[in-house]
Amino acid sequence: MTHRPTEEPARPVRPHPVDTAWSGSPPDPAAVDPAVLGALLRRHGWQRRGGAPGRYGRWTPPGPGGGTSLLVPESRAFPDSDDLLAEALLALSRSGAPSAREVLVSLAVPSDEIRWWQDVPAGPAGAAPWTAEERLRTAARRTLLAAALATRARAGYHGARHRRAAAAALEGVLVGSASGGRLTAFVPVTGGRPLAVRLHQALFAAREAIDYQRATGGMDAFDAAVEAGVSHELTESLVALVRGTEGARIAVAWAPAAGVPGGCAPGAEPVEFSPGDLPALRDAGARYLREEPSVPVRITGAVTRMRRSGPRGEGTVRLRVLAGADVPHVRITLDEEAYRIAGHAHLVGLPVRVHGRLESRGGFRRLTGAHGIVPVQVDDAERDRLLKELQENLDFFEEACGGDCGD
């Protein structure tokens, strides 16, 4: 029997379209707010260099050499504003600058932006290790997963709980290329803002808890930080982000079209972490892992695996959870009678219901103190599906039962 380790990073989120040249048409000027376009240009490093005050501004792209400038109206109050806006959007779509493509996609999908920076020690001629980019992307994915888990529940250690829902919450997240120790993720406001808000709050809470621990030696602030979304998963992601660097930063910038959510700071000031923070983060992660309590549950699940060492005695059963716990599978050790009940239920295509405690050790994948196991009636369609699964795994099932399933 195998289980996915809790430390495994989230499955990769979709690449952001800025990884390739912009190939679509520029956005409809009628759907673009000039103030939002100006805010996005400023966010992505464009500089305003003059223009007619109150009417339009002249913007130049970041980096040396300047490049094609844009005339962006400040509002639609003047007759030529629509023409200027259309020309600016067309020029952005033809630009090869990564910042131009990021602005266009941000206009197409209003998103909160999460940025990571790593200060990686440079090698010869200023080159960074080729693995630095992948480490940054991995740490970023783990950070997003920790935030998504915290939107589902407040816990010091999530383990396998809520992972399917958290992974689903990351489906709409778009990620740009990692270069120069910098990575940006775009979290759509529609459906994704709770994730960005939770990460914003958790990062500041983690920073405050680290400062308190380094100043006093006490870990109490980490206990209080759980309510803000700090967890074992978040501390581990921060360790992965900072380890091997001279420091790292994370910032959350709110979508200009949606405004600042309540209770959050309006700016995009990054939260900084240094190698000196690693001992506190590791201690906090171990503390969360050690102290998260087991959970009493009543689980309904379909038997997918059965194994015992002989034809008699207790055995181990694996259930695919249908209800009662936010984990995909659990493993249970049952006495001989309960094992026989589970085997009979599986043979006739019925799930079982069982009481016990979901153990934090092992990532909430094991049910201990199991008792009261009974078959559960289901509708014909679900029963047929369970019977089909049985037929597909019959050879394995007969071997695992040791020839004793019919007793």
Side-chain angles (χ1 to χ4, degrees):
M1 179 178 290
T2 60
H3 298 293
R4 184 177 68 181
T6 58
E7 292 79 10
E8 180 180 318
R11 58 188 176 187
V13 290
R14 287 187 291 152
H16 195 278
V18 299
D19 283 348
T20 58
W22 178 263
S23 58
S25 301
D28 181 2
V32 174
D33 184 342
V36 170
L37 175 56
L40 288 171
L41 289 170
R42 182 178 294 105
R43 174 176 296 175
H44 290 279
W46 289 63
Q47 298 291 321
R48 178 168 177 167
R49 303 184 184 278
R55 297 193 63 177
Y56 64 85
R58 182 177 295 277
W59 294 81
T60 58
T68 304
S69 63
L70 308 176
L71 292 180
V72 178
E74 294 186 5
S75 69
R76 297 183 181 276
F78 298 94
D80 60 349
S81 60
D82 286 345
D83 291 338
L84 288 177
L85 195 58
E87 292 173 3
L89 294 172
L90 181 61
L92 281 172
S93 69
R94 291 175 174 175
S95 173
S99 60
R101 299 193 293 274
E102 289 181 344
V103 169
L104 288 170
V105 179
S106 295
L107 289 172
V109 184
S111 304
D112 297 322
E113 298 177 21
I114 302 171
R115 297 192 186 96
W116 294 261
W117 294 268
Q118 284 182 326
D119 300 324
V120 180
W130 71 272
T131 56
E133 177 179 329
E134 182 56 33
R135 290 201 304 266
L136 175 57
R137 296 181 73 90
T138 298
R141 287 194 296 266
R142 293 176 65 173
T143 305
L144 292 175
L145 178 64
L149 287 167
T151 65
R152 308 298 303 179
R154 304 292 192 276
Y157 174 48
H158 296 278
R161 295 178 295 174
H162 307 288
R163 281 190 172 255
R164 284 179 293 189
L170 300 184
E171 289 292 336
V173 177
L174 305 172
V175 180
S177 59
S179 60
R182 176 181 178 272
L183 177 68
T184 302
F186 294 71
V187 182
V189 171
T190 302
R193 172 148 281 191
L195 186 156
V197 169
R198 181 59 56 224
L199 179 60
H200 174 83
Q201 295 172 342
L203 289 172
F204 279 97
R207 180 67 264 170
E208 292 174 0
I210 292 169
D211 292 341
Y212 180 85
Q213 193 279 335
R214 294 185 69 174
T216 68
M219 300 293 291
D220 297 348
F222 279 104
D223 296 336
V226 170
E227 193 59 31
V230 181
S231 63
H232 170 81
E233 286 77 7
L234 182 67
T235 58
E236 289 294 293
S237 73
L238 295 176
V239 168
L241 180 68
V242 176
R243 187 176 52 231
T245 73
E246 296 174 347
R249 303 178 300 283
I250 307 176
V252 180
W254 309 113
V260 179
C264 295
E269 289 298 318
V271 183
E272 299 187 9
F273 301 93
S274 71
D277 298 328
L278 291 176
L281 287 168
R282 290 190 176 107
D283 289 347
R287 179 185 177 92
Y288 288 139
L289 185 63
R290 182 176 61 250
E291 297 190 359
E292 185 67 19
S294 60
V295 183
V297 291
R298 186 182 70 173
I299 288 177
T300 301
V303 177
T304 59
R305 296 286 187 272
M306 302 186 72
R307 184 179 298 278
R308 60 181 173 184
S309 58
R312 304 286 179 182
E314 69 177 21
T316 300
V317 172
R318 188 171 188 252
L319 298 184
R320 178 171 57 84
V321 176
L322 304 176
D326 289 298
V327 295
H329 299 91
V330 294
R331 187 171 59 180
I332 315 172
T333 299
L334 298 174
D335 62 27
E336 183 173 351
E337 180 59 26
Y339 188 85
R340 182 181 288 108
I341 292 172
H344 286 165
H346 188 39
L347 285 171
V348 297
L350 292 178
V352 295
R353 181 177 296 135
V354 60
H355 297 255
R357 296 191 70 86
L358 202 58
E359 281 290 329
S360 60
R361 290 178 299 174
F364 295 96
R365 294 182 177 88
R366 178 182 289 275
L367 196 72
T368 60
H371 62 278
I373 185 168
V374 293
V376 178
Q377 293 294 329
V378 294
D379 58 42
D380 292 340
E382 177 68 9
R383 182 170 178 173
D384 289 344
R385 190 176 66 80
L386 292 173
L387 283 170
K388 182 180 179 181
E389 285 188 1
L390 169 61
Q391 293 299 322
E392 292 172 350
N393 297 281
L394 189 57
D395 292 340
F396 178 89
F397 182 79
E398 290 175 345
E399 178 185 351
C401 286
D404 190 39
C405 295
D407 288 352

